[in-house]
Amino acid sequence: MKPKDEDKPQVAMAQAIRTITENWAGHIEFHRTMARVARVKFLALVAEGFTEEQALQLVRW
């Protein structure tokens, strides 16, 4: 059965939630990796002479 036009947003949302749930482990690993990258960049900036405040400003997204 084809969804009614008014049901399409709810169907799309349910599909998006299902996709996120199925890929949850990948999302977590992605954010862990991005956190490591930010930390390495921060530490490298401090090692190169930036203050911690300057380094923090440069790694903000």
Side-chain angles (χ1 to χ4, degrees):
M1 180 162 69
K2 197 172 177 183
K4 299 175 191 171
D5 284 344
E6 64 267 11
D7 294 335
K8 287 183 181 180
Q10 290 85 358
V11 170
M13 181 63 75
Q15 290 171 338
I17 291 169
R18 189 175 319 116
T19 299
I20 290 169
T21 302
E22 290 170 355
N23 296 300
W24 193 250
H27 288 284
I28 292 170
E29 188 56 34
F30 169 78
H31 289 289
R32 283 183 180 146
T33 300
M34 295 308 295
R36 285 187 210 113
V37 168
R39 179 167 172 73
V40 167
K41 183 177 179 180
F42 173 83
L43 294 173
L45 289 165
V46 171
E48 288 299 316
F50 289 90
T51 66
E52 288 187 0
E53 182 59 34
Q54 290 169 328
L56 186 59
Q57 290 294 322
L58 291 168
V59 298
R60 284 200 177 140
W61 306 38

